Amino acid sequence: MLPPYHRLEEFVPLTPAETRIAEGWTSSKRSVKRHHIIRREGDQVAGVFFLLAGWVGSSVMLRDGRRQIVKVHLPGDMLGFPSLSLVHAGETLEALTDAVICPIPNAAIGKLLMDNPRLATGLFLSTQKERVALMQKLSWLGATSALERMVAFLLDLYDRAKSSGLAKENRFEVPLTQQQLGELLGLTAVHVNRTLKRLDSSGLLERRKALVRLIDIEGLQKMTANIPPCFAHHDAWVRLGSPSSDA
Amino acid sequence: MLPPYHRLEEFVPLTPAETRIAEGWTSSKRSVKRHHIIRREGDQVAGVFFLLAGWVGSSVMLRDGRRQIVKVHLPGDMLGFPSLSLVHAGETLEALTDAVICPIPNAAIGKLLMDNPRLATGLFLSTQKERVALMQKLSWLGATSALERMVAFLLDLYDRAKSSGLAKENRFEVPLTQQQLGELLGLTAVHVNRTLKRLDSSGLLERRKALVRLIDIEGLQKMTANIPPCFAHHDAWVRLGSPSSDA
DNA sequence: CGTTCCATTGACGAAGCTCAAAAAAAGTGG
DNA sequence: CCACTTTTTTTGAGCTTCGTCAATGGAACG
């Protein structure tokens, strides 16, 4: 559905040749079922993945079995990049729905970094974007209430679902159990439930199974204390000197 | 003190020429006083910084004035990279002690990414390492108690201080106010104080002003539920195909 | 059609927050 | 170096949010 160069192209305009390289990554597809562990924390790092379809959660375990879901990935996302810096994977990748992934071996990433500076720059900047997203999430967990966190998460997810073509008319699927929502937001499943109840009785949104409809987006936005960051897209490329186009 | 290629060299062995490029970054030094805002959230992104000496905090603001300190930077760290993907900086950089920074303009980063794939790869991997660190921190905030968080932070800081040469004999400075510690760990200053009191009365560590001495490191480690990640260093380079050394 | 997972609800407890005030420390200008 | 102000640390009392434990009903799935 979404092209694999989607994320790379966000910051750096790609040449047709580069687009073809990125498309090549989808040559090997792997379908995984809901709940399937794509890669477990501690496994060897054989490469990264491009998420073609479905939802994947990335999580970190603690010794006593607690875990923190770090990110919910949507189609078009790259999975597993942080672990490239590790001997053993630092995150567990788990399919939250049936999904299709494209494995990209380490060597392909190495080759890209060495041989194609424009793709590499795109990758680099999209990685920085992920870092900003993580910083935002850290501020949710550290400085906001259960309700604010939940709303911030749903709004963020809605935005991302829209740009992946997964939301229509303020309506989108959230295929996470309340247990998983809790692991994502740093709450217990019980408290997630109460928070959701409170939200739909507020009339700002409506839940029907996994389907969420945002009724009053502005009202919801007022509930969060977030300052949403504004991403640079191709501006970043220009700012970095857009070396090959200028020189 | 610490060379600017310290972080780049961690994952990718650098040639003498590359080392010289990185050293060039320190040509312009800027001294800043404690509490000085190096760059405020929302400012134009003119470049990044290399931290030569001193401590710098990087934080994210919420609309109502709350803030989350995202990272405490030590000498040798690169500052401000996430904001390269943004139109306006997404993080405030504040000197926690008197510090010396080297501004690196956008164009220099652009040039590096385009012209020097080995340096770029080193930068890329060290960025992924930061992402892993953020994921860890997210799991502290989402899944652990005040005490665990405090201990995890102090142990992490101790490790980093050691490798920056800032710790001797289990002793190191923590130049953060308890207010700031709270903003870092998602606690109130009051609760930070109670947690610290509880820690020193446990006998596992000792505080004297800003000086902390870890008395029983193993005991402290047992208090955290962390699974500390093991970083790849030059292995990552080999795994990615170490293109220029092999081919 | 039973088994298992998931959502929901209630009662209770605890970790951490708020408010307030005092003591200690650190700057600051003379 | 001394008075003065400001910041930081410390402590107490009461309260809120969220967690724990436990039980029930509903949905999904073989």
Side-chain angles (χ1 to χ4, degrees), chain B residues 65-171:
Chain B
R66 286 172 293 183
R67 69 172 188 165
Q68 175 68 41
I69 297 183
V70 161
K71 167 126 191 169
V72 170
H73 289 282
L74 300 186
D77 282 2
M78 294 287 212
L79 315 177
F81 265 95
S83 293
L84 284 179
S85 63
L86 297 173
V87 172
H88 302 289
E91 37 169 11
T92 298
L93 298 172
E94 174 185 355
L96 300 172
T97 67
D98 292 354
V100 181
I101 56 176
C102 309
I104 306 174
N106 289 324
I109 299 300
K111 191 160 157 41
L112 180 154
L113 289 172
M114 289 306 289
D115 299 346
N116 201 311
R118 287 168 63 102
L119 281 174
T121 300
L123 199 54
F124 180 76
L125 289 173
S126 99
T127 283
Q128 300 312 323
K129 180 174 173 176
E130 288 301 324
R131 236 173 118 185
V132 172
L134 269 175
M135 285 162 42
Q136 287 284 126
K137 250 168 259 173
L138 206 67
S139 74
W140 296 355
L141 291 198
T144 75
S145 70
L147 196 64
E148 288 176 284
R149 261 177 255 182
M150 181 65 77
V151 171
F153 167 69
L154 289 173
L155 286 174
D156 176 68
L157 196 62
Y158 173 65
D159 272 345
R160 299 204 297 128
K162 251 193 321 193
S163 53
S164 290
L166 295 174
K168 0 183 147 77
E169 297 279 332
N170 297 5
R171 228 182 292 265

Side-chain angles (χ1 to χ4, degrees), chain A residues 83-100:
Chain A
S83 294
L84 283 180
S85 63
L86 298 174
V87 173
H88 302 287
E91 38 169 10
T92 298
L93 298 172
E94 174 185 354
L96 299 172
T97 66
D98 291 355
V100 181

Side-chain angles (χ1 to χ4, degrees), chain A residues 21-40:
Chain A
I21 292 178
E23 278 171 344
W25 293 337
T26 58
S27 57
S28 79
K29 297 188 179 66
R30 224 179 97 203
S31 289
V32 294
K33 287 245 156 277
R34 187 160 119 97
H35 293 148
H36 178 85
I37 306 288
I38 296 168
R39 189 181 64 189
R40 195 178 298 278

Side-chain angles (χ1 to χ4, degrees), chain A residues 70-91:
Chain A
V70 161
K71 169 128 190 168
V72 170
H73 289 282
L74 300 186
D77 282 2
M78 294 287 212
L79 316 178
F81 266 94
S83 294
L84 283 180
S85 63
L86 298 174
V87 173
H88 302 287
E91 38 169 10

Side-chain angles (χ1 to χ4, degrees), chain B residues 3-17:
Chain B
Y5 50 82
H6 174 242
R7 284 290 133 78
L8 301 177
E9 163 84 358
E10 181 174 0
F11 294 106
V12 176
L14 299 185
T15 64

Side-chain angles (χ1 to χ4, degrees), chain B:
Chain B
M1 198 62 67
L2 276 155
Y5 50 82
H6 174 242
R7 284 290 133 78
L8 301 177
E9 163 84 358
E10 181 174 0
F11 294 106
V12 176
L14 299 185
T15 64
E18 288 158 348
T19 300
R20 255 174 282 122
I21 293 179
E23 277 170 345
W25 294 336
T26 59
S27 57
S28 79
K29 296 188 179 68
R30 227 180 95 202
S31 289
V32 294
K33 287 246 158 274
R34 186 159 118 99
H35 292 151
H36 178 85
I37 306 287
I38 297 168
R39 189 181 66 189
R40 195 178 297 278
E41 198 170 336
D43 287 356
Q44 287 288 327
V45 178
V48 298
F49 304 90
F50 176 73
L51 180 56
L52 252 188
W55 296 47
V56 169
S58 143
S59 54
V60 169
M61 310 278 289
L62 302 185
R63 260 200 261 110
D64 54 7
R66 286 172 293 183
R67 69 172 188 165
Q68 175 68 41
I69 297 183
V70 161
K71 167 126 191 169
V72 170
H73 289 282
L74 300 186
D77 282 2
M78 294 287 212
L79 315 177
F81 265 95
S83 293
L84 284 179
S85 63
L86 297 173
V87 172
H88 302 289
E91 37 169 11
T92 298
L93 298 172
E94 174 185 355
L96 300 172
T97 67
D98 292 354
V100 181
I101 56 176
C102 309
I104 306 174
N106 289 324
I109 299 300
K111 191 160 157 41
L112 180 154
L113 289 172
M114 289 306 289
D115 299 346
N116 201 311
R118 287 168 63 102
L119 281 174
T121 300
L123 199 54
F124 180 76
L125 289 173
S126 99
T127 283
Q128 300 312 323
K129 180 174 173 176
E130 288 301 324
R131 236 173 118 185
V132 172
L134 269 175
M135 285 162 42
Q136 287 284 126
K137 250 168 259 173
L138 206 67
S139 74
W140 296 355
L141 291 198
T144 75
S145 70
L147 196 64
E148 288 176 284
R149 261 177 255 182
M150 181 65 77
V151 171
F153 167 69
L154 289 173
L155 286 174
D156 176 68
L157 196 62
Y158 173 65
D159 272 345
R160 299 204 297 128
K162 251 193 321 193
S163 53
S164 290
L166 295 174
K168 0 183 147 77
E169 297 279 332
N170 297 5
R171 228 182 292 265
F172 62 111
E173 293 261 344
V174 182
L176 299 181
T177 67
Q178 293 181 9
Q179 173 67 37
Q180 289 168 329
L181 274 174
E183 289 165 346
L184 181 73
L185 301 177
L187 302 170
T188 58
V190 172
H191 202 68
V192 165
N193 187 278
R194 292 194 222 280
T195 306
L196 284 173
K197 289 259 131 178
R198 197 136 72 88
L199 263 177
D200 31 63
S201 69
S202 78
L204 294 170
L205 62 78
E206 188 184 58
R207 268 182 320 142
R208 210 180 294 236
K209 311 259 173 155
L211 197 73
V212 173
R213 183 165 72 96
L214 306 181
I215 296 172
D216 178 1
I217 294 188
E218 292 210 356
L220 289 168
Q221 279 165 343
K222 279 201 204 97
M223 295 180 61
T224 77
N226 278 306
I227 301 170
C230 167
F231 289 97
H233 307 284
H234 287 181
D235 305 350
W237 176 242
V238 173
R239 205 169 47 192
L240 290 177
S242 51
S244 59
S245 18
D246 280 7

